[in-house]
Amino acid sequence: MWSSSGKKLSGSYGTWQGQEVELDSPDPDDGMLFLIKYGGDAPGAGWLTIYDRGSFPTPGVRHSLEVPADEVTDIHSVRAMGDLGLGREIELLAEDPDGNFAAISGESLPPEERRRLVSAYGFTTFYDEPVERSSVFGWLPAEKVHGIRSEVSWRKNAPT
């Protein structure tokens, strides 16, 4: 759950100090991982608060804490996917209280389909890139998404 108004469907997670936490990435950077908490107050001392009005679909405040990778176990990633019909797959990032989905297209979705998402549902590209060179993201009504499924991949924790 990323906020009281919606739930996250795709992301990376692990166990730190006996609690499940969200990770910025499942892959350590120089032996460190970043824990992430969206919205609300920082969970404790040492957490960095970042205000990002452009984040999608999460609230505009994010807290992060850098910890040694060997302190985090059970690292896994969840990826929720849905179908727009005719094999057109889209990643589902979150669901709002009304059942609408925050979604992002892969660049494998043909440009004409990405343009359709922009015109029909108000999707946007990253950094104002042309649709031909970017994924698009936005909110889709629940009835437009079919065949919802999720994939979980586990990362073996290697001692450092």
Side-chain angles (χ1 to χ4, degrees):
M1 181 68 85
W2 52 269
S3 80
S4 60
S5 62
K7 70 181 154 180
K8 192 149 185 185
L9 299 176
S10 292
S12 296
Y13 307 91
T15 302
W16 179 70
Q17 296 185 346
Q19 294 186 335
E20 184 175 73
V21 292
E22 186 165 358
L23 304 171
D24 181 54
S25 168
D27 301 314
D29 183 15
D30 288 332
M32 304 296 279
L33 289 169
F34 284 94
L35 312 183
I36 302 292
K37 178 190 176 279
Y38 292 100
D41 296 326
W47 286 76
L48 175 66
T49 299
I50 302 163
Y51 296 95
D52 182 7
R53 294 177 190 219
S55 72
F56 176 83
T58 58
V61 63
R62 172 181 57 178
H63 310 284
S64 66
L65 179 68
E66 187 177 38
V67 300
D70 60 6
E71 292 182 11
V72 183
T73 60
D74 304 322
I75 296 173
H76 61 286
S77 295
V78 178
R79 186 171 180 215
M81 304 298 290
D83 186 32
L84 300 176
L86 301 173
R88 297 172 301 168
E89 192 172 70
I90 196 156
E91 184 173 1
L92 305 174
L93 304 175
E95 182 179 11
D96 74 10
D98 297 324
N100 300 305
F101 294 105
I104 184 169
S105 76
E107 290 183 42
S108 62
L109 196 66
E112 59 273 7
E113 288 298 323
R114 288 182 261 156
R115 276 192 288 281
R116 189 179 71 77
L117 291 171
V118 168
S119 65
Y121 301 105
F123 274 45
T124 59
T125 62
F126 290 95
Y127 311 109
D128 295 323
E129 283 285 325
V131 169
E132 293 74 19
R133 293 195 319 236
S134 178
S135 298
V136 295
F137 61 93
W139 289 92
L140 279 174
E143 66 271 6
K144 298 295 180 189
V145 182
H146 309 282
I148 297 169
R149 63 208 171 280
S150 63
E151 305 163 354
V152 179
S153 57
W154 292 87
R155 183 180 153 293
K156 278 200 162 198
N157 290 16
T160 54

